Amino acid sequence: MDSQLESRFVEPLQAQLQLLGRSGQRAVLALNGPVGAGKSTMARVLQQRAAGLGLGLAVASIDDFYLPWEQRQRALEGNPFGVSRVPPGSHDVALALDCLDVWQAGGALRLPRFDKTLRGGLGDRSAEELVEAEVLLLEGWLLGCRSLGRQALATIQPPAGLNAEELAWLPHWDQALEAYQPLWQRCAQLWLLRPQSWQSPRRWRLQAEAKQRRHGAAWLPAIELDRVVRASLCSLPPSLYQDPLLDLASGYAVLDSRRRWIGGSGVSSEQ
């Protein structure tokens, strides 16, 4: 891991997780970042470090709460990207809230798990586990993104790079995003990993797929990969949905094409 990313982002983030964990509130910290930015790897590192400090840190991805296969097919039927997951509306937000309700009331944290290697790389739910935790790190590419509303969408300049069909679906994705707001409100803090260029996520995802292929796991063909990346960048265009999060974030890191820190802001690890 890049040393500046470590000292200026990961260490402050770890410090905040420790504070939240020791508060007794069973708090949720949200980590937002585009596909391939290293969210899952960072979360695993933080979980290992937390264990060494005696802190019960649970880690989950918003992708773990994808709807089951058949429901996702119905929810995303006819979408312009030709994907079976990713855009708003493909997640079981009600299940996520139910799991948090039980946990924050003192019970165990129930986490479904999603395996992206199933169904030839299209993915499906694979398991469920009960964990004891003092704090939860929830990661995902759309965490914190807010619905703009149909009226606001009608008055803005259309985002560059979307084709006519994708623009026509934008109000649909925005409306679907409304269901996520109660989940975002349950997050005590929001931290961001942002690319210097929004061209980088495709390269990062290609690297991740190549790694899966080398390890003999299921992987997506290039055309499917492009659909997944495009779905994440065009269902919620960054200029409309990611940029406003900078004003809400407790900390953020801007990454170059090699995922190295080139700027950002974080809560001091000494606080």
Side-chain angles (χ1 to χ4, degrees):
M1 186 183 298
D2 172 52
S3 60
Q4 289 199 74
L5 181 61
E6 167 74 27
S7 62
R8 299 193 180 192
F9 186 81
V10 178
E11 289 180 3
L13 176 54
Q14 179 180 335
Q16 291 303 303
L17 287 167
Q18 289 176 249
L19 287 174
L20 290 172
R22 291 168 181 165
S23 71
Q25 299 174 0
R26 296 200 166 193
V28 182
L29 186 148
L31 176 62
N32 171 305
V35 295
K39 301 182 300 298
S40 298
T41 299
M42 186 177 293
R44 285 195 297 270
V45 168
L46 287 165
Q47 190 174 38
Q48 292 168 358
R49 293 179 182 178
L53 296 170
L55 175 66
L57 171 63
V59 170
S61 168
I62 190 66
D63 292 352
D64 287 322
F65 292 96
Y66 273 135
L67 292 164
W69 175 258
E70 291 79 8
Q71 293 181 45
R72 274 189 293 125
Q73 302 312 295
R74 293 193 294 270
L76 297 181
E77 184 177 4
N79 75 82
F81 310 112
V83 293
S84 63
R85 65 175 192 258
V86 177
S90 56
H91 303 92
D92 192 341
V93 178
L95 174 61
L97 290 169
D98 286 345
C99 292
L100 289 182
D101 284 341
V102 172
W103 176 58
Q104 292 180 323
L109 178 59
R110 177 166 61 99
L111 294 176
R113 295 303 187 187
F114 187 85
D115 188 343
K116 294 179 181 179
T117 68
L118 297 178
R119 296 188 181 273
L122 298 179
D124 205 355
R125 282 192 191 173
S126 61
E128 182 177 280
E129 60 180 297
L130 289 175
V131 299
E132 296 292 338
E134 297 163 280
V135 62
L136 170 65
L137 175 63
L138 180 66
E139 55 95 351
W141 73 273
L142 50 55
L143 265 65
C145 292
R146 297 180 173 186
S147 170
L148 301 177
R150 186 175 293 271
Q151 185 174 358
L153 279 177
T155 62
I156 63 173
Q157 182 72 22
L162 274 66
N163 61 39
E165 188 180 10
E166 291 165 350
L167 281 172
W169 272 73
L170 193 54
H172 173 85
W173 304 128
D174 186 86
Q175 184 177 17
L177 191 58
E178 292 178 1
Y180 293 73
Q181 304 315 300
L183 182 57
W184 303 162
Q185 291 168 7
R186 302 285 282 274
C187 298
Q189 293 186 17
L190 172 67
W191 289 64
L192 310 176
L193 289 171
R194 289 177 55 86
Q196 180 182 27
S197 166
W198 287 98
Q199 301 299 315
S200 294
R202 182 180 184 276
R203 174 184 174 183
W204 294 340
R205 188 57 194 270
L206 278 169
Q207 292 170 342
E209 291 294 319
K211 184 176 180 180
Q212 283 192 192
R213 187 164 59 248
R214 289 195 301 270
H215 287 81
W219 53 279
L220 289 177
I223 188 170
E224 295 290 341
L225 177 66
D226 282 333
R227 288 172 177 170
V228 166
V229 175
R230 188 166 185 85
S232 72
L233 297 178
C234 296
S235 61
L236 299 178
S239 62
L240 298 181
Y241 295 94
Q242 297 288 349
D243 289 354
L245 297 182
L246 287 169
D247 293 331
L248 305 174
S250 297
Y252 71 93
V254 180
L255 308 179
D256 69 9
S257 61
R258 296 175 62 185
R259 301 187 193 87
R260 296 176 302 190
W261 164 284
I262 57 172
S265 172
V267 176
S268 171
S269 60
E270 297 177 356
Q271 291 182 356

